[in-house]
Amino acid sequence: MRRLLPLVAVVLTLAGCSRTVAGRAVPEMWTADRVAGLAITDGPSGLRENAPAPRAEVTGAGDGQIDRLATAAVEDVQQFWINEFPSLGRGEYRPVANLLSYDSAIGAGKACGAETRGLVNAFHCPSEDLVAWDRGELLPDLTERFGDMAVVTVMAHEIGHAVQSRLSVSGRTILLEQQADCYTGAYFRLVAAGESSRFTLSTGPGLNQVLTTMFFIRDSPGTAVDAPDAHGNAFDRVSAFQAGFGEGPARCARMDESEVDRRVTQETTESATADEGQLRPSDPGARADLEATVRAVFGPDQPPLTTEPVCGDAPASFCPDQGVVALDLEALDRIAAPARDGGLGDFAAFAEMVSRLALAREDRSGRPVEGLVAAQGAACLTGAWAAAIGPGDGQALSLSPGDLDEAVAEMLGRQSRIAADVTGVAVPSGFARVDAFRTGFNRGVEVCANLGR
């Protein structure tokens, strides 16, 4: 986050606290315990025990688990497109002609004009109608970190590029990458609904693994949205995935550059810079600036912040009986530390504080602060606050590159406090947490009042 000094006093109307983004409204199927109409589950995720054996011919493939998994994923995703592609009005889907597996430590000659030795990647090559993957480093590393569904995520994304090729889609890299993310989400909706013959996916931990994979392969903070190889930050990539998951392939096919320009939160080359340093919640000046931004968004009547252990044992707690928000500054500073030091980043820590102030706002309005609907509302209001402190909004605090990704990381964690109620119980699905935050970010404070109700 950035501090803008000297402090500028700004009063925002509610209409100024959101971003207008093309796409869906807030349907009832997105609630604290449902994602795109599916109940939140915590069952197994991965290749089904009775899944049909892969039959596709893959150049260079061995008998290892990674190649079996990747080939099964390609077959499953392509079966999805055989069924769904005609609905896009462009005839029948033509499966990818060439599949290549290689070990980047050894190489397998050239693919799409590039040497595969040292190429730690997975990619689609339109000129060769090829999908290729590195079985030596990339896919094993993703599997070790995030589980088998990480491989399926990568394959679904690359087949998404093949779909674009068959639809003759062209444009900037950022459009092509996020449309492929959207197509990936559309495929995973089928898997989560139990309609895949090869894979199963829980809408709780399983879907979190998929989103965490996308978080891992995001653009690094400071990458410009108009950079030649820009894919998108985690917040924007997850948003594209959720659009496909919730609305299907036709929604993805409608994506164009004008929508991407309206929706993405990455900055352009002229404004993108790496994070200018981490703010510490223990800094009294930073807390005062935070309170100023919260008053601008939630109204002037805010509860005081206290460092006394009044209630709860979380880093930040709303204490309804005492009318205060209690802070554990040491714990918040640990969260605010950069990832290399074991933290999540300053925005994650400040967002946890804002979510407790959001519950105080709900309490003053006579709405419940306990239960999953309250937890969802806290995430939504925190997103609305985040939208109001964008660069150029004149607030005492301002978003820096990477800040929204810190919020995504917090909400995909096992115990999110951004999306928790007054007792600390969080919305069970990271997917639903991020969607609530994104709803507030895109549509503002007033929408949050009705979310899940």
Side-chain angles (χ1 to χ4, degrees):
M1 298 180 72
R2 300 185 181 108
R3 295 180 68 187
L4 304 184
L5 300 174
L7 176 64
V8 179
V10 177
V11 177
L12 297 179
T13 64
L14 293 181
C17 300
S18 63
R19 295 154 48 93
T20 302
V21 177
R24 63 180 173 83
V26 186
E28 293 181 359
M29 65 180 183
W30 296 88
T31 66
D33 58 359
R34 300 187 78 80
V35 290
L38 301 177
I40 296 175
T41 59
D42 59 0
S45 297
L47 193 65
R48 294 181 182 273
E49 291 184 2
N50 61 346
R55 301 176 60 184
E57 293 185 9
V58 181
T59 301
D63 330 347
Q65 174 63 16
I66 290 295
D67 274 337
R68 289 196 297 272
L69 185 61
T71 307
V74 168
E75 290 186 349
D76 204 55
V77 177
Q78 296 213 104
Q79 184 59 55
F80 169 79
W81 285 112
I82 288 171
N83 295 335
E84 294 294 330
F85 192 85
S87 68
L88 301 181
R90 296 292 293 273
E92 302 296 317
Y93 175 75
R94 175 172 46 86
V96 173
N98 302 298
L99 303 174
L100 171 66
S101 169
Y102 65 91
D103 184 339
S104 59
I106 301 170
K110 288 188 175 182
C112 210
E115 289 288 347
T116 52
R117 184 173 182 178
L119 185 61
V120 183
N121 201 1
F123 56 92
H124 169 251
C125 178
S127 63
E128 299 178 12
D129 198 18
L130 167 75
V131 166
W133 59 86
D134 169 25
R135 70 171 183 274
E137 182 174 343
L138 176 67
L139 297 190
D141 181 52
L142 290 176
T143 302
E144 182 178 355
R145 290 173 182 267
F146 310 118
D148 288 353
M149 297 309 286
V151 173
V152 185
T153 304
V154 171
M155 293 299 103
H157 178 91
E158 299 310 328
I159 297 298
H161 286 309
V163 171
Q164 291 171 330
S165 178
R166 282 142 179 78
L167 292 172
S168 301
V169 176
S170 61
R172 289 180 299 163
T173 303
I174 191 71
L175 166 63
L176 300 178
E177 295 301 331
Q178 295 204 10
Q179 188 180 57
D181 290 336
C182 185
Y183 284 140
T184 302
Y187 161 72
F188 272 108
R189 173 65 168 74
L190 170 98
V191 182
E195 298 173 10
S196 164
S197 64
R198 294 174 177 84
F199 294 97
T200 183
L201 179 73
S202 72
T203 52
L207 201 48
N208 281 9
Q209 286 182 338
V210 172
L211 297 185
T212 305
T213 302
M214 300 187 72
F215 179 88
F216 182 74
I217 56 180
R218 74 197 188 281
D219 287 343
S220 59
T223 300
V225 69
D226 50 357
D229 59 348
H231 284 50
N233 61 23
F235 185 76
D236 293 337
R237 297 197 71 174
V238 168
S239 294
F241 179 98
Q242 290 183 315
F245 193 97
E247 299 178 64
R251 169 69 181 88
C252 308
R254 293 196 302 271
M255 280 189 175
D256 57 21
E257 295 203 359
S258 63
E259 180 200 326
V260 170
D261 288 339
R262 291 192 301 271
R263 177 175 54 78
V264 298
T265 59
Q266 267 178 283
E267 298 179 333
T268 62
T269 300
E270 295 180 351
S271 58
T273 57
D275 199 336
E276 298 176 351
Q278 301 290 320
L279 299 182
R280 295 170 62 88
S282 59
D283 177 355
R287 295 200 304 278
D289 288 347
L290 174 71
E291 290 181 285
T293 65
V294 170
R295 286 194 295 271
V297 181
F298 294 165
D301 185 17
Q302 296 301 316
L305 304 180
T306 178
T307 58
E308 297 297 322
V310 177
C311 73
D313 56 2
S317 302
F318 170 51
C319 311
D321 293 341
Q322 296 81 8
V324 300
V325 170
L327 307 178
D328 180 340
L329 296 181
E330 289 186 6
L332 287 167
D333 277 353
R334 287 194 294 271
I335 295 169
R340 64 178 177 272
D341 296 330
L344 294 173
D346 57 0
F347 186 83
F350 281 81
E352 288 194 4
M353 296 161 64
V354 170
S355 74
R356 304 305 88 185
L357 291 163
L359 287 177
R361 180 185 187 276
E362 295 296 89
D363 190 52
R364 290 195 307 276
S365 300
R367 289 187 280 270
V369 294
E370 185 172 350
L372 294 183
V373 171
Q376 187 181 27
C380 183
L381 288 167
T382 304
W385 165 79
I389 62 168
D393 283 332
Q395 288 287 359
L397 299 177
S398 177
L399 292 176
S400 291
D403 278 351
L404 293 177
D405 288 0
E406 293 171 11
V408 171
E410 199 276 355
M411 287 183 284
L412 293 180
R414 291 185 177 181
Q415 181 55 51
S416 170
R417 298 181 184 89
I418 292 175
D421 73 356
V422 71
T423 68
V425 175
V427 173
S429 166
F431 192 92
R433 298 169 192 166
V434 174
D435 188 74
F437 181 97
R438 180 167 60 95
T439 296
F441 188 87
N442 288 337
R443 302 188 181 278
V445 170
E446 290 184 342
V447 168
C448 299
N450 298 317
L451 195 65
R453 295 181 170 87

